[in-house]
Amino acid sequence: MSAKQLETERKFDGTAALPPLELPGVAKVVPAGPQDLDAVYYDTPDLDLLSRQVTLRRRTGGGDAGWHLKLPTGTDSREEIHAPLEAGAPDRPPAALAARVAVFLRGEALVPVARLRTHRRRRHLLDRRGKALAELAEDRVEARILGPVPVRAPEHPAPDGDRTGSISWTEVEVELAGGDAELLDRVEQALTAAGLERADHPSKLARALRDAPRPDRRRAPLRTGTPGGLVTGRIRELVDDLLALDPSVRLDEPDSVHRMRVTARRLRSTLKAHRRLFDRRRTDALAAEIRWLGRSLGNARDQEVLGEHLVTALDALDSLPDRLRGGPARGEVSAHYARAYRQAWEQVVRDLGSVRYHRLLNELESFAADPPLTARADRKKPRKRLSRTLRHEQRRTLDRLDAALGLDSGPERDAALHSARKAAKRARYAAEAARPTAPERARKFEKRMKRLQRVLGGHQDTVVARQALLDHPGPGEDHAFTSGVLYAAQQRDAEQAERRLPALRRRVSGPRLARLT
């Protein structure tokens, strides 16, 4: 079992005496018992976690002994995920925490990198009702750097050869309990007035390993006012979203496969639609690998969608007797697609652990940090450049839709309508990068393409459902009959979707829709 909480704190360096902290809203400052904390921190030898301001430790002592994973969420805040000591081996974190950092490790092993012993003296800041607003801690820290991490010059060489050095320091930490950011500001003003300085390290581990080399995660500044800057900003958002969703997929959290698949599609569509702003060799190679990832996620998501679609369609068949509409038939459909989803999800997890996926993530981060922009990307008047892109995507969608509507009913027409759906989706995602420069016009374009995409998506769902009913009608005459009725209902739904397409086509046509200026 693990628990989450949001931790908001600020750290200060110095040895000045602490002021009395007589602050507005603080009725009393009460001393609390001292604590002795002993924590071993885990990372890769290259400090891949620390380079992202992520820390993973196993700590004893204090009121929250156990495994702690901290993930940055803002300037002063971090999400802390806690697991009890017995959840993992002494030198190996519990599976739930390991799954949450795997996206950063990319095949590298976790090893102990530092051991920090802290003697903590505490004070609680209370309001007039006795409610805790914040905790102020004076920490005397002794840190030993462990074997695999190189440091330039240890202040105090360790007596044994398995350690690279040890250091010690004093710091003050203020963590909110029931207080707010204004209280943090007031405490900071009091502490700095007393001679303390705001610390330049986000964590004790960062302070201990400040001289150790680590990967450089800095990103090149965005080129504001240019098409390249706008699209790069959107790509960075999507790469960050993809990384954030990885742990949820590994842990099979609800809707996580769907959200990661959509993010992969958005990212690929953005690269493809705006490819003229970048070196095509890089974007084409990236798009191909993102497509591989999307297909892996899609294999699982399609089973999930198909099961839900067929159960919903079965529930809607009011003309069928209850014994055919519910009971065994419904249960068998749910169970069949639950098993199929589980098998596909297990393959997704294997793919997320592959060297191919790790290389994709490395390349995505490299691309987002410093993209290979072309001369077009630096031109001013981004609305004009992005309008051309939207117009191109609009024409591409209309051409595919017209080609599909010109075909007779059958598998070829179904495939062509599915191709038109993918074009509408790419056009919609292409407009997302244009929101900062023309919010209303970009959203109008997105909204209309989304409507077309959804109707085409509903049509594709019926195509997949009909094929599944042919492939797996179920055992016995009752199941075969029910499958036949469902097949006919799906056929009617497909015909209804197709009747809506001419009107939707008119809504997404015309050059004005793609104009951002």
Side-chain angles (χ1 to χ4, degrees), residues 444-452 507-508 513:
K444 182 178 180 180
F445 185 93
E446 289 178 53
K447 187 176 180 180
R448 294 196 180 182
M449 286 295 175
K450 185 177 180 178
R451 286 177 181 171
L452 174 61
R507 295 281 290 169
V508 300
L513 181 63

Side-chain angles (χ1 to χ4, degrees), residues 147-336:
V149 178
V151 291
R152 294 191 181 92
E155 297 178 19
H156 305 288
D160 56 75
D162 295 331
R163 304 293 185 264
T164 57
S166 63
I167 56 174
S168 61
W169 72 92
T170 300
E171 68 178 38
V172 174
E173 182 178 291
V174 183
E175 181 177 347
L176 287 182
D180 56 19
E182 291 184 6
L183 174 62
L184 267 185
D185 291 339
R186 290 195 292 268
V187 172
E188 179 173 350
Q189 290 172 3
L191 294 179
T192 54
L196 297 174
E197 296 181 353
R198 182 76 180 267
D200 61 357
H201 53 273
S203 66
K204 288 180 173 63
L205 182 64
R207 170 68 178 82
L209 298 177
R210 69 192 325 165
D211 292 328
R214 68 193 73 171
D216 186 356
R217 304 291 179 191
R218 289 175 297 181
R219 288 171 166 176
L222 289 176
R223 305 182 185 185
T224 57
T226 66
L230 287 169
V231 177
T232 298
R234 180 58 180 157
I235 289 171
R236 288 178 178 179
E237 291 174 359
L238 292 169
V239 170
D240 291 343
D241 289 346
L242 195 74
L243 295 175
L245 285 165
D246 175 291
S248 298
V249 172
R250 293 175 191 267
L251 295 169
D252 200 20
E253 294 178 354
D255 205 38
S256 57
V257 170
H258 169 57
R259 289 184 291 135
M260 191 173 184
R261 181 195 193 188
V262 169
T263 301
R265 283 178 166 178
R266 276 190 159 97
L267 185 51
R268 181 171 180 267
S269 293
T270 302
L271 288 170
K272 296 286 283 185
H274 300 285
R275 59 191 180 277
R276 294 182 180 179
L277 301 178
F278 306 99
D279 181 341
R280 285 285 300 274
R281 292 169 297 181
R282 292 278 300 277
T283 56
D284 287 352
L286 263 181
E289 290 303 285
I290 297 170
R291 185 183 187 188
W292 162 77
L293 174 62
R295 284 181 170 176
S296 177
L297 295 162
N299 290 336
R301 175 59 179 166
D302 288 347
Q303 299 303 318
E304 194 174 35
V305 169
L306 184 53
E308 294 170 356
H309 181 85
L310 288 174
V311 167
T312 301
L314 190 60
D315 290 343
L317 295 178
D318 296 333
S319 60
L320 275 181
D322 288 344
R323 70 181 180 86
L324 298 180
R325 182 158 51 94
R330 193 179 194 280
E332 183 177 304
V333 169
S334 296
H336 173 80

Side-chain angles (χ1 to χ4, degrees), residues 406-423:
L407 298 171
D408 293 332
S409 296
E412 188 178 356
R413 179 184 173 99
D414 292 340
L417 288 172
H418 184 44
S419 179
R421 175 204 180 195
K422 291 189 285 187

Side-chain angles (χ1 to χ4, degrees), residues 30 84 128 215 245 251 284 290 298-299 354 376 390 396 413 437 480:
V30 179
R128 61 183 181 180
L245 285 165
L251 295 169
D284 287 352
I290 297 170
N299 290 336
S354 69
R376 288 188 179 94
L390 295 192
R396 183 170 174 270
R413 179 184 173 99
T437 188

Side-chain angles (χ1 to χ4, degrees), residues 11 86 125 162 184 188 255 394 504:
K11 296 179 182 295
E86 58 270 19
L125 280 59
D162 295 331
L184 267 185
E188 179 173 350
D255 205 38
Q394 180 191 41
L504 288 170

